[in-house]
Amino acid sequence: IAGLFSHHDRERFRVSVYSYGPDDGSPYRQRIATESERFIDIAGLSEAAAAARIRADGTDILIDLN
């Protein structure tokens, strides 16, 4: 997945990444965070709170890459 987020057309799409896994401090995670417009760590939220956050952010399409 590394590199995927930098290829989206930023004129047409806002790329937000929601991370619910542990922050391992890896270069891989850092690259994804850097290449997305917004990187939101929702690991500490309940499922309901995470869904509310994603909804409040106005997310139209959500894809689970796991």
Side-chain angles (χ1 to χ4, degrees), residues 2-7 26-36:
L4 173 71
F5 302 107
S6 65
H7 292 290
S26 70
Y28 179 74
R29 180 184 170 100
Q30 184 58 43
R31 180 175 179 190
I32 292 171
T34 301
E35 291 180 354
S36 59

Side-chain angles (χ1 to χ4, degrees), residues 29-46:
R29 180 184 170 100
Q30 184 58 43
R31 180 175 179 190
I32 292 171
T34 301
E35 291 180 354
S36 59
E37 287 179 62
R38 296 183 323 142
F39 186 88
I40 302 98
D41 189 342
I42 57 172
L45 301 179
S46 68

Side-chain angles (χ1 to χ4, degrees), residues 7-27:
H7 292 290
H8 285 80
D9 182 349
R10 300 302 167 98
E11 296 294 321
R12 298 178 61 208
F13 301 99
R14 180 183 65 194
V15 179
S16 301
V17 174
Y18 296 92
S19 175
Y20 58 85
D23 182 354
D24 61 1
S26 70

